[in-house]
Amino acid sequence: RLPCSNWMATGKLPEAETAYRRALKLSPRNTDTLVALGLVVGSSQRFDEAGRFFDRALAIRPGLLDARLGKVRLAIWQGDAPRARALVDDVLASAPDNVEALSLDARIALLEADYKRAGQSLQRALALDPRNAEALVGLGDVRRAEGDDEAARQAYGQALAIEPGSADIEQRLAVPPPRKWRLDLGNEVSDLTDGLGDWTDSSAGLSYRLSPQTTISGRTRLATRFGNTDVQIEGRVDQAFSPAFSAYALAAATPDADFLARYSLGAGASWQVVAPAKAFGPVSLNIDARYDDFADTGVTTVSPWVQG
């Protein structure tokens, strides 16, 4: 591993940058220093500058593995999974047993929500180097993404034993276990004039997280209009197919409906087209579609919208 890894593990990026810039002045063509600086400034989200350091190293030593791996990391930091995939595949074609490349391959597979490939790459990396902290952290991330928080914490703990004081690992261990159950309660009252009775709308919803990708939920709605009361029961399934794409489907029914829909069917999807950046958040394209069957008519609603 490059010597900058210890600085990065403990979060001492300013100290690392100062030390490596001083070293670069003494030896401007030292490729190890150039790669280390690229990693340090890249960790500080100065991506263009990091790329220039890696390119300088490659100009001095074409094909330098550490610089090529640095460019893979840079693509991952920038959220450019397709570019990262192409770069790491090129590295693995010539160095299939490189532990760092295998760990990065797993990191990219996580971005692609390919947990099987991520796990396989990390198991290969750990078979080659059982005390590789980065691979253990990656394995913890895979287990957490799969919903096995206990196994994730075990992997993080093993990594922390190898790299005591690592701020990155400690942050992962500090994340509380995910809550599987969620209860939502709501109530609205409309105070009408001219002696008309109040309109009320109350709801109670309970959801259960089957996995990091799948949530099922049920909701009961109690609504009152002009002295009439309807009770509606709804079921819903939310599914994340990838980090960028998710969808849901729902069905609802109102027995002996007076004013609510006798039954409703709905579905929707969300596609993140722009990943989060330092200056602004993600941009998503969304669509909701719903059919409501009332006693005297049916209503179809399709609502496309943008969230950013």
Side-chain angles (χ1 to χ4, degrees), residues 195-213:
L196 299 175
D198 293 343
W199 284 14
T200 65
D201 213 323
S202 303
S203 65
L206 185 64
S207 61
Y208 180 72
R209 188 169 174 262
L210 287 173
S211 73
Q213 295 78 39

Side-chain angles (χ1 to χ4, degrees), residues 136-155:
L136 285 166
V137 169
L139 186 61
D141 290 346
V142 172
R143 297 296 176 252
R144 178 163 282 174
E146 292 174 333
D148 191 344
D149 192 69
E150 183 178 349
R153 291 179 182 279
Q154 182 179 359

